[in-house]
C-alpha cells in the first residue's frame, strides 16, 4: 500500500513558474482595462483604416495599405510595450501593488521579465487582429516572417526597458504625462504614418536612431519591400534594449 507524503515543503516556486504566473496576471489585467484596450487595439486599427483608405499622406508610388501596415504594427508594439506598460506600472507603484510584490519571492528581475512576457502575449493578439484588418483592406505582405518576429521581440525589449525605466523612477502622474508625450512625439517623428524623407536632412540621423524608427523601417523593409536580414534596425533595437533594460534593472524601485 502506497503511503502518501503530506510533509510541508516551504519555499518559493521555481523562477520560471513565478514569472509565468505573474505574466498571466499582467496580461489579463491589460486586456480587461478599457483604456489600455483603446490604446493598444482600437487606436492602431482606426489609424490603419483611416490612413489606408483616405489619401491623407503621399506614400509615393506604392499602395497606401502596404506602406501604412508595417508602421501600424510597430505602433502597436510601442503602444503595449512602452506607453501602456509605463502607465500601468507607474500607478502600480503609487497604489502599493509593487510594494506587495516586493515582499514575495519574485525578484525585481523576475518581475521585469514577467511584464515583458505579458507584453509579448498581448502583442501576438494585436498582430493577428491588425493583420486580419490589413488583409481585408488589400494588404500584400512580403519577406521572411522570422525577421518580423525578431524585430518585434527586440522592439518589445527596447520599449519595455524604456517603460520600466520611466515607471520605476518617476512618480505616477509624471509617468502618465511623459509616456503620453513620448508616444505622440514618436508617432509623429518615427516614420509610422509619414515617410521620413519629408523631414529635413539635418534631423534624419537623430530620427534614424530612435527605436520606433528602427522598428518601423525594419518592418517596412521586410513586409513592404521584401528585403532580407534587417541588420541595421535590429542593431539599433538591440542597443536600446541592452541599455534600457540594464538601467531599469538597476534603478527600478518597488515604491
Amino acid at each position: 500500500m502506497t503511503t502518501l507524503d503530506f510533509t510541508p515543503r516551504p519555499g518559493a516556486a521555481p523562477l520560471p513558474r513565478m514569472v509565468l504566473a505573474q505574466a498571466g496576471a499582467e496580461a489579463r489585467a491589460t486586456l480587461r482595462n478599457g483604456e489600455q484596450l483603446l490604446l493598444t487595439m482600437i487606436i492602431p486599427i482606426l489609424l490603419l483604416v483611416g490612413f489606408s483608405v483616405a489619401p491623407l499622406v503621399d506614400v509615393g508610388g506604392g499602395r497606401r495599405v502596404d506602406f501604412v501596415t508595417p508602421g501600424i504594427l510597430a505602433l502597436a508594439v510601442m503602444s503595449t510595450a512602452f506607453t501602456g506598460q509605463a502607465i500601468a506600472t507607474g500607478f502600480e507603484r503609487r497604489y502599493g501593488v509593487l510594494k506587495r510584490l516586493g515582499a514575495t519571492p519574485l525578484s525585481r528581475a523576475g518581475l521585469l521579465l514577467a511584464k515583458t512576457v505579458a507584453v509579448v502575449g498581448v502583442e501576438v493578439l494585436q498582430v493577428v487582429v491588425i493583420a486580419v484588418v490589413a488583409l481585408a483592406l488589400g494588404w500584400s505582405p512580403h519577406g521572411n516572417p522570422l525577421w518580423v518576429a525578431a524585430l518585434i521581440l527586440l522592439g518589445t525589449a527596447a520599449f519595455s526597458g524604456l517603460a520600466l525605466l520611466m515607471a520605476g523612477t518617476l512618480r505616477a502622474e509624471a509617468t502618465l504625462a511623459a509616456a503620453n508625450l513620448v508616444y505622440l512625439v514618436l508617432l509623429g517623428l518615427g516614420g509610422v504614418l509619414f515617410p521620413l524623407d519629408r523631414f529635413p536632412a539635418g534631423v534624419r540621423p537623430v530620427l534614424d536612431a530612435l527605436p520606433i524608427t528602427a522598428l518601423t523601417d525594419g518592418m517596412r523593409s521586410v513586409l513592404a519591400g521584401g528585403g532580407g536580414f534587417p541588420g541595421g534596425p535590429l542593431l539599433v533595437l538591440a542597443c536600446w534594449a541592452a541599455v534600457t533594460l540594464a538601467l531599469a534593472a538597476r534603478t527600478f524601485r518597488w515604491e
Side-chain angles (χ1 to χ4, degrees):
M1 181 174 179
T2 303
T3 302
L4 298 179
D5 183 7
F6 293 101
T7 304
R9 295 181 181 179
L15 179 61
R17 187 183 303 173
M18 289 192 293
V19 168
L20 289 177
Q22 182 62 29
E26 298 276 350
R28 289 191 296 272
T30 298
L31 295 175
R32 290 171 182 170
N33 188 314
E35 295 175 354
Q36 294 278 55
L37 193 62
L38 174 67
L39 178 69
T40 59
M41 297 292 292
I42 307 302
I43 291 178
I45 291 174
L46 290 177
L47 290 174
L48 171 62
V49 175
F51 279 83
S52 297
V53 174
L56 300 176
V57 61
D58 181 14
V59 298
R63 297 190 307 165
R64 283 190 297 273
V65 67
D66 290 336
F67 175 86
V68 172
T69 301
I72 294 299
L73 289 171
L75 177 65
V77 172
M78 182 176 71
S79 299
T80 302
F82 172 65
T83 313
Q85 185 170 203
I87 295 172
T89 305
F91 280 95
E92 285 174 354
R93 281 185 63 220
R94 176 178 177 176
Y95 294 123
V97 175
L98 296 185
K99 182 179 180 180
R100 290 178 174 83
L101 286 174
T104 70
L106 183 65
S107 65
R108 179 166 55 183
L111 174 63
L112 302 184
L113 179 58
K115 286 184 172 292
T116 302
V117 171
V119 164
V120 172
V122 174
E123 286 173 352
V124 171
L125 178 60
Q126 286 179 290
V127 170
V128 171
V129 173
I130 291 172
V132 169
V133 174
L135 290 170
L137 294 171
W139 179 43
S140 179
H142 304 281
N144 191 333
L146 291 178
W147 304 144
V148 175
L151 287 164
I152 290 176
L153 288 175
L154 272 180
T156 299
F159 283 118
S160 289
L162 188 59
L164 296 172
L165 177 62
M166 181 181 293
T169 54
L170 300 178
R171 293 185 299 110
E173 292 81 0
T175 298
L176 174 63
N180 282 313
L181 177 61
V182 172
Y183 176 85
L184 293 174
V185 170
L186 294 183
L187 172 61
L189 301 180
V192 174
L193 299 172
F194 307 101
L196 288 180
D197 57 16
R198 302 293 189 271
F199 295 94
V203 302
R204 282 292 303 277
V206 177
L207 299 182
D208 288 337
L210 297 174
I212 186 61
T213 307
L215 182 56
T216 301
D217 282 352
M219 298 283 279
R220 194 164 284 143
S221 69
V222 174
L223 292 173
F229 178 69
L234 287 174
L235 178 61
V236 173
L237 293 172
C239 290
W240 275 93
V243 172
T244 57
L245 287 173
L247 289 175
R250 291 177 60 88
T251 62
F252 191 88
R253 299 196 305 267
W254 294 100
E255 55 180 311

